[in-house]
Amino acid sequence: MRIVSVGGGPGGLYFAILMKRAHPECAITVHERNRADDTFGFGVVFSDETLGGFAQADPESFAQITKHFAYWGDIETYVGDTCIQSTGHGFCGLSRMKLLQIFHERCRQLGVELRFGSEIKTLADVAAGGGATGGPPDLILAADGLNSALRTELEPHFRPTIEWGRARFCWLGARRQLGAFTFVFKESRHGLFQLHAYPYETGMSTFIVECDESTWRAAGLDQATESDTVAFCSDLFAEHLQGAELVTNRSVWRSFPTVRNERWHHKNLVLIGDAAHTAHFSIGSGTKLAMEDAIALAAAFERHAKRGAAGGGAGSGGAPKWDVPAVLADYQESRYVDCLKIQKAARVSQDWFENSSRYLKQHPLQFTFNLLTRSKKITWENLRQRDPALVDRVDRWFAEQAAVHAAPPGAPLHPAYGNRKAQGWDEKPAAAAAAPTSSAAPTVAASANPVGERSIEDIPDADKAAPALVAPPPLFAPLRLRELRLANRVVVSPMCQYSAAGGVPGDWHLVHLGARAVGGAGLVLCEMTDVTPDGRITLGCTGLWNEAQQIAWARIVDFVHANSGAAIGIQLAHAGRKGSCALPWEGGEPLRDGRAWVTLAPSAEPFAPGWPAPRAMDRADMDAVREAFVAAARRADRAGFDLIELHMAHGYLLSSFISPMSNHRTDEYGGALAHRLRFPLEVFEAVREAWPAAKPMSVRISATDWLDDEGGLTAADSVQVARALRERGLDVIDVSSAGNTPRSKPIYGRMYQVPFADRIRHEVGGGLAVMSVGAIQGPDHVNTILAAGRADLCALARPHLVDPHVVLGASAAYEYIAQPWPKQYLPAKPKPK
Ligand SMILES: Cc1cc2nc3c(=O)[nH]c(=O)nc-3n(C[C@H](O)[C@H](O)[C@H](O)COP(=O)(O)OP(=O)(O)OC[C@H]3O[C@@H](n4cnc5c(N)ncnc54)[C@H](O)[C@@H]3O)c2cc1C
Ligand SMILES: Cc1cc2nc3c(=O)[nH]c(=O)nc-3n(C[C@H](O)[C@H](O)[C@H](O)COP(=O)(O)O)c2cc1C
């Protein structure tokens, strides 16, 4: 087989090596437009986890690569005047030049033909055989990087998209070998600059400087030559350079393009590496991705070679005869989802850096935890494995804050935890608390660690000499909302059970809600409970419009108060145009028989094609609905509920007023966001007025319609919504998404709605507590979200269906013995050691 690679970067060269190694009979030519020693960039960095696959794929090049590695295990975060050091990570790096030289050498050993200074401008240059030895190629690799000319030429087949990052960055080198992965957040008179820097060989570090567009322009960097850039950055980061020189290599300021392609292959041509996909440099994965593509492509050829052999498909001399298009399809199939996941993590990381100024107000410990856990690849538990001392400091800081905030006015400082020793906080000497326990502890530092060159850990810490308390995980921190004190941060998310008769909750509800309260959650939110009969989704939904319902709810509330430490809240709602449906287990479709009723909505438009049209509400309808909410709130108080949540999410009545996808009114309740919000705010104000001042209120919103391109409600709009509610006395905003139209396109994934909560938390402030919900899969996620300051409360729905005892389980797993357990369950409670 004849193979041509257009591009001699890591992707093209590594595939050539792997293929030639496995099939010496292949004639492989690599065309590289640069000279052999002419390369852009400085160092590439890999994490420990990355390396296993390379050792297996080609031990010879792997041995050379590792011989040239600089290793380090620490991450240092400089923010303001503080540096927080995190240990226990494992990184290695080398210069891009060295990596390419190793690959060149290995190619030569194996007999791959390298043609330097050979630019392939169009497919025609290679397809006819001009680029290969001995005839037209059987396989063409478009390994020509980010701006791939071959991809552009065949655009209709690959269907690429390029999403440009908002920040500007410049890739420089520093003649100083840093001892750690170094992040610096430096505020200047022009705005915030951030530095991503890491060592890669003796005496050298990669030095990437990044800022937002306006800062870049304000600093005049849009006009800067390379030497202007060097002068500016040398001055800005003088304390980190310590007199060392900055060096350039095509160091222009750029925006990061995230490249995606729907297809990676066409006939016998395949995209690999940056030509196929890019991932933001802040997760350092581009070279790894290109090399893993090479491994996956070589593996696809192997799979097909074996199939060919089994089916008698070998060519002359026993060499496999491949069906190249089929191999390429197999390659994409095997690789595509993994790449999408990495791109998704990279996108989250990129967003974090693009919005990092939002977090500068955080305490440096929380800021660092937030930074380290930004892409969701590292969670609280992962980090605790790597760096238990840091996580303990974060937890301690978190617990202190929580204790202060949870304390009623005039109460002693730590009422939440009482006497911490008596409550069971483990007490360990500081040294023991700080000792890393991870077996994947850091590898050797590359050089004398420059950590000693300046002072770190300068956060005031009165306890330093005293025995350190190993703090409880953040999940167990109390939270005070008006006069209500939640014992911890886990909330049972409201979940319709569709099991009421005439809106009256029954034994099912008692057992369902009672079990979850006993399971230890700080707050149990009862299901969407409707304020009028025609405000129900189904005939099985609960209500709170009459005495019988109030009495039935009171029975549940009393049980929860008598048998658990949980607070109990009720979600009051009106289903609007999503009402009048069958039970989910009977299909969930709109009722079409005599049981159906006419639904209400801001506009007379059905929720989905084929659904009955609702009636557009007039002022009298609005008054009636508002008064029904007020009456239900009064009943909720009489039933003993601790909190009310108003349902303004998921496309139900109040939500449908807020979203431009469902509200097309032309009066003062439609149009601009402020107008669409009018009726929901009226309801909120009236309920707030009726609900006792000592009791808190929550509102659940759909923070986005996931249809930004079509004019849907956006995350930015929801910041306005939260502000308007906060100004009217809201205590908690419960941040969900979607539901106003079946056309919404949520991007699901672990903790996928957290970014909306995070944004509201940082942009609204004013003491508004933020609850996050959605694929928060358990205590580790809860601890991660809380410790990073992305939310104040975490609501878990489906995890509570699997296990009502999420919090008791966490108490057992983390040996947090201060968690109260029901006396009946004490035999299972962890014992003090
Ligand atoms: C600021 C920054 C920091 C980064 N940091 C890291 C990091 O720490 N770790 C990491 O793994 N990755 C990092 N990367 C990404 C990494 O550099 C790339 O993802 C990786 O090099 C991709 O390999 P590739 O072989 O696909 O493409 P490239 O390395 O871009 O190679 C493509 C090659 O094709 C050649 N070429 C292009 N067109 C033609 C043509 N028409 N004819 C002939 N030759 C052609 C080019 O000269 C080039 O040598 C970083 C990137 C940036 C921008
Ligand atoms: C069975 C079930 C019923 C639900 N009912 C409600 C509800 O009454 N009110 C509401 O706001 N959300 C409701 N939801 C949504 C959940 O509260 C939650 O927002 C969603 O399931 C995402 O969280 P999870 O990933 O933890 O399940 C329901 C979810 C489920 C699974």
Side-chain angles (χ1 to χ4, degrees):
M1 179 156 86
R2 281 182 296 278
I3 301 174
V4 165
S5 173
V6 178
L13 291 170
Y14 202 49
F15 177 74
I17 292 167
L18 301 184
M19 200 63 186
K20 190 73 182 169
R21 185 174 194 273
H23 298 282
E25 74 283 359
C26 290
I28 307 181
T29 310
V30 176
H31 293 265
E32 170 54 52
R33 65 181 172 196
N34 292 335
R35 292 179 316 223
D37 57 353
D38 175 23
T39 182
F40 74 94
F42 298 94
V44 293
V45 57
F46 300 105
S47 66
D48 271 357
E49 300 124 45
T50 316
L51 299 174
F54 303 154
Q56 224 185 356
D58 183 44
E60 290 81 358
S61 58
F62 182 70
Q64 286 303 311
I65 290 172
T66 50
K67 218 165 97 186
H68 291 90
F69 267 156
Y71 293 95
W72 69 98
D74 294 350
I75 300 175
E76 290 177 2
T77 306
Y78 294 79
V79 51
D81 298 332
T82 305
C83 170
I84 305 283
Q85 188 179 34
S86 177
T87 60
H89 309 272
F91 298 104
C92 38
L94 78 170
S95 76
R96 177 177 160 97
M97 172 81 91
K98 187 58 168 173
L99 181 72
L100 294 182
Q101 282 168 354
I102 291 168
F103 286 163
H104 294 163
E105 186 49 35
R106 184 78 181 119
C107 281
R108 288 190 194 101
Q109 269 174 16
L110 290 165
V112 173
E113 185 191 359
L114 300 178
R115 293 195 197 168
F116 292 103
S118 168
E119 178 158 12
I120 303 296
K121 292 220 167 82
T122 71
L123 185 56
D125 290 349
V126 283
T133 306
D138 303 296
L139 171 68
I140 302 170
L141 234 57
D144 48 350
L146 187 60
N147 300 314
S148 170
L150 294 186
R151 181 189 68 217
T152 308
E153 191 177 339
L154 295 174
E155 211 170 276
H157 298 285
F158 300 128
R159 294 189 288 276
T161 55
I162 301 184
E163 186 189 350
W164 292 96
R166 288 191 282 119
R168 294 284 172 162
F169 72 95
C170 181
W171 199 356
L172 299 153
R175 293 200 192 283
R176 173 170 186 240
Q177 188 177 348
L178 296 165
F181 208 124
T182 303
F183 292 110
V184 181
F185 297 83
K186 183 111 191 162
E187 290 188 272
S188 74
R189 64 195 164 90
H190 310 294
L192 176 70
F193 282 88
Q194 43 207 13
L195 170 67
H196 314 236
Y198 48 88
Y200 66 89
E201 67 182 22
T202 308
M204 291 299 297
S205 297
T206 297
F207 211 82
I208 304 169
V209 180
E210 188 185 26
C211 61
D212 67 26
E213 173 93 16
S214 60
T215 303
W216 179 66
R217 289 189 191 283
L221 293 165
D222 53 333
Q223 310 289 333
T225 61
E226 276 194 340
S227 52
D228 294 338
T229 294
V230 164
F232 182 87
C233 294
S234 301
D235 186 43
L236 189 64
F237 295 109
E239 124 196 34
H240 301 276
L241 287 164
Q242 300 190 350
E245 190 193 354
L246 279 181
V247 288
T248 58
N249 182 346
R250 301 189 209 169
S251 302
V252 290
W253 289 88
R254 310 176 246 182
S255 306
F256 190 86
T258 299
V259 173
R260 300 180 181 89
N261 285 274
E262 277 181 37
R263 264 173 79 93
W264 293 355
H265 58 95
H266 174 61
K267 297 184 179 166
N268 65 340
L269 190 145
V270 64
L271 303 177
I272 77 167
D274 276 8
H277 44 65
T278 56
H280 191 247
F281 57 82
S282 60
I283 64 163
S285 288
T287 305
K288 159 192 139 91
L289 277 177
M291 289 170 66
E292 286 175 350
D293 281 357
I295 294 174
L297 182 56
F301 274 100
E302 258 355 86
R303 281 195 295 278
H304 285 253
K306 286 195 184 115
R307 274 181 226 163
S316 60
K321 191 161 166 36
W322 283 285
D323 174 354
V324 171
V327 176
L328 302 186
D330 186 8
Y331 153 70
Q332 173 166 353
E333 170 85 21
S334 67
R335 188 84 186 110
Y336 198 72
V337 172
D338 283 348
C339 282
L340 278 185
K341 282 188 195 157
I342 292 172
Q343 285 191 302
K344 208 161 143 188
R347 183 64 236 185
V348 174
S349 176
Q350 180 177 350
D351 277 347
W352 195 94
F353 282 104
E354 286 179 353
N355 293 300
S356 60
S357 57
R358 189 189 278 168
Y359 307 118
L360 289 174
K361 288 194 293 279
Q362 290 188 318
H363 187 283
L365 273 173
Q366 186 167 51
F367 182 89
T368 301
F369 182 91
N370 188 354
L371 167 71
L372 297 177
T373 57
R374 68 191 179 278
S375 75
K376 300 195 272 190
K377 276 169 74 180
I378 297 180
T379 62
W380 180 87
E381 268 175 26
N382 303 143
L383 193 58
R384 202 163 67 124
Q385 287 287 315
R386 296 174 188 211
D387 190 351
L390 176 68
V391 174
D392 182 52
R393 290 185 67 202
V394 171
D395 291 353
R396 251 190 301 154
W397 171 83
F398 191 91
E400 297 289 341
Q401 300 299 306
V404 173
H405 289 137
L413 189 60
H414 293 136
Y417 300 108
N419 174 340
R420 291 185 288 180
K421 244 163 118 180
Q423 293 252 2
W425 283 29
D426 294 338
E427 197 172 302
K428 289 186 188 169
T437 53
S438 163
S439 57
T443 36
V444 211
S447 63
N449 194 337
V451 163
E453 292 170 26
R454 38 96 203 100
S455 94
I456 57 160
E457 308 270 324
D458 46 348
I459 293 179
D461 185 347
D463 284 351
K464 253 179 195 154
L469 291 168
V470 176
L475 177 162
F476 295 105
L479 182 72
R480 188 151 169 267
L481 302 166
R482 297 191 184 226
E483 295 303 310
L484 178 67
R485 184 179 158 281
L486 302 181
N488 62 59
R489 305 301 183 95
V490 175
V491 177
V492 176
S493 199
M495 280 181 280
C496 286
Q497 299 296 295
Y498 309 103
S499 301
V504 180
D507 287 353
W508 175 265
H509 300 86
L510 175 70
V511 173
H512 165 70
L513 295 163
R516 275 137 197 94
V518 165
L523 173 66
V524 175
L525 275 177
C526 298
E527 69 190 77
M528 168 167 169
T529 296
D530 304 300
V531 297
T532 60
D534 67 351
R536 286 177 291 179
I537 309 172
T538 72
L539 291 169
C541 290
T542 51
L544 193 41
W545 63 81
N546 67 31
E547 192 73 8
Q549 293 157 350
Q550 180 189 312
I551 291 167
W553 279 119
R555 173 178 172 237
I556 294 168
V557 171
D558 290 348
F559 175 88
V560 168
H561 285 158
N563 293 285
S564 79
I568 180 163
I570 188 159
Q571 189 186 51
L572 296 181
H574 189 296
R577 65 179 185 164
K578 290 175 89 173
S580 187
C581 288
L583 304 179
W585 45 86
E586 288 170 4
E589 287 296 305
L591 295 169
R592 309 271 177 197
D593 54 23
R595 294 171 301 166
W597 63 90
V598 176
T599 60
L600 292 178
S603 308
E605 295 162 19
F607 168 67
W611 281 46
R615 194 178 84 235
M617 288 170 78
D618 59 19
R619 189 57 248 184
D621 293 320
M622 290 187 210
D623 291 343
V625 167
R626 187 195 60 230
E627 289 316 307
F629 269 99
V630 168
R634 293 209 168 99
R635 288 190 186 282
D637 182 39
R638 290 199 288 274
F641 281 105
D642 302 304
L643 173 147
I644 282 180
E645 175 167 284
L646 291 188
H647 202 338
M648 296 196 190
H650 302 169
Y652 299 114
L653 185 68
L654 300 180
S655 170
S656 65
F657 266 86
I658 300 172
S659 168
M661 305 312 288
S662 40
N663 181 344
H664 297 114
R665 295 178 77 101
T666 50
D667 63 4
E668 66 268 41
Y669 300 99
L673 176 62
H675 294 192
R676 301 196 308 270
L677 251 181
R678 249 186 204 139
F679 179 57
L681 290 178
E682 248 182 52
V683 172
F684 177 83
E685 282 173 351
V687 171
R688 187 55 272 180
E689 178 77 24
W691 184 239
K695 293 188 183 184
M697 278 187 68
S698 167
V699 166
R700 175 167 274 200
I701 58 164
S702 279
T704 171
D705 286 323
W706 296 96
L707 289 169
D708 287 13
D709 298 345
E710 295 180 36
L713 192 84
T714 65
D717 293 335
S718 290
V719 171
Q720 302 305 322
V721 173
R723 277 204 189 112
L725 287 161
R726 174 67 200 146
E727 282 161 14
R728 288 162 176 79
L730 182 67
D731 305 287
V732 181
I733 187 129
D734 174 1
V735 185
S736 187
S737 72
N740 269 296
T741 152
R743 291 189 296 109
S744 288
K745 300 177 198 120
I747 302 173
Y748 295 109
R750 292 179 302 152
M751 304 179 260
Y752 71 107
Q753 292 173 155
V754 170
F756 307 118
D758 181 57
R759 178 163 181 183
I760 289 175
R761 189 169 190 272
H762 287 94
E763 293 189 14
V764 176
L768 179 63
V770 176
M771 178 160 17
S772 185
V773 66
I776 299 172
Q777 288 165 345
D780 182 29
H781 284 180
V782 175
N783 286 325
T784 309
I785 293 165
L786 296 173
R790 296 181 188 125
D792 303 282
L793 287 163
C794 291
L796 281 65
R798 287 163 298 174
H800 273 116
L801 295 184
V802 175
D803 175 8
H805 306 125
V806 169
V807 172
L808 295 188
S811 147
Y814 300 135
E815 300 183 347
Y816 177 66
I817 58 173
Q819 167 66 31
W821 280 55
K823 54 186 177 295
Q824 297 87 337
Y825 293 178
L826 281 177
K829 183 177 177 179
K831 304 279 177 293
K833 290 240 166 75

